[in-house]
Amino acid sequence: MSIGLIGKKVGMTRIFTDNGDSFPVTVLDVSNNRITQIKKFETDGYNALQVTFGIQHANRLSKPAQGHFANAGVEAGRVIKEFRVNADELNEVKAGMKLELNMFQVGQIVDVTSKSIGKGYAGTIKRHNFSSNRASHGNSRSHNVPGSIGMAQDPGRVFPGKKMSGRLGGEKCTIQNLEILRIDMDRELIHVKGAVPGAKEEIVVLRSGIKSKPKNK
């Protein structure tokens, strides 16, 4: 299915195999995903499922948002996401239904989307991986600098998109082709091999890998 799950990043740890191999994993809490709305092509112009995650006090929401959750018969959530699905997948779900973890399997390749950690204002060397200038042999106060950014008389300006100093991190990014190593059905946790962008408690979206290839039997 093309439906994904919303969760939060718990942190990183490692797990051991029966052979004694150690693998770094990121623990994702994807508990209590519930459907708030089913969008169909006939009424909305596209097929999608609207899913919410987390718990939030209803008095913190606007009146329309409270009514939206009440119509679905679910508790007010912290975040809402939509997943585009095929028309035949809509027949298997209904509003207010809880999404289970059994849609993912151990060994499956997934894509994880999250917001990266913000690092504040950074220079060109840290932000764009530029190389610094020599530290001696006549170099005077021109070590960690971006270098020349100007143009000739024609066009006589700096083009938009020039790699310069600025805000680093805090952007939406996706890590593809991560492998699921363990699924804890009781605590509704998924252990993904490798690192996932974002700090602890950051909201993550887990989808099936779009570039993954089925393994040969």
Side-chain angles (χ1 to χ4, degrees), residues 91-199:
N91 300 327
E92 305 176 6
V93 295
K94 61 181 179 179
M97 175 181 173
K98 181 181 177 181
L99 297 178
E100 302 293 341
L101 275 69
N102 54 13
M103 66 175 63
F104 292 103
Q105 299 177 357
V106 176
Q108 183 177 351
I109 302 300
V110 295
D111 299 339
V112 182
T113 302
S114 182
K115 183 179 179 181
S116 61
I117 298 177
K119 300 180 181 297
Y121 193 91
T124 54
I125 294 177
K126 183 177 181 180
R127 190 184 187 200
H128 301 291
N129 198 25
F130 285 1
S131 62
S132 58
N133 208 334
R134 55 173 31 174
S136 60
H137 293 278
N139 188 358
S140 176
R141 296 181 302 172
S142 183
H143 309 291
N144 294 354
V145 294
S148 177
I149 63 172
M151 307 290 289
Q153 186 174 357
D154 182 19
R157 64 188 180 92
V158 178
F159 287 119
K162 180 71 175 179
K163 293 182 178 180
M164 300 178 67
S165 303
R167 180 177 168 181
L168 176 63
E171 298 178 350
K172 178 182 176 181
C173 55
T174 301
I175 302 297
Q176 295 181 328
N177 299 336
L178 298 179
E179 183 182 359
I180 296 179
L181 295 184
R182 180 181 296 173
I183 297 179
D184 191 339
M185 301 297 295
D186 296 332
R187 295 185 293 178
E188 297 185 293
L189 301 176
I190 294 181
H191 296 70
V192 179
K193 182 181 179 181
V196 170

Side-chain angles (χ1 to χ4, degrees), residues 81-99:
K81 296 288 184 181
E82 282 190 3
F83 297 97
R84 293 290 186 98
V85 296
N86 299 325
D88 54 350
E89 297 182 28
L90 298 178
N91 300 327
E92 305 176 6
V93 295
K94 61 181 179 179
M97 175 181 173
K98 181 181 177 181
L99 297 178

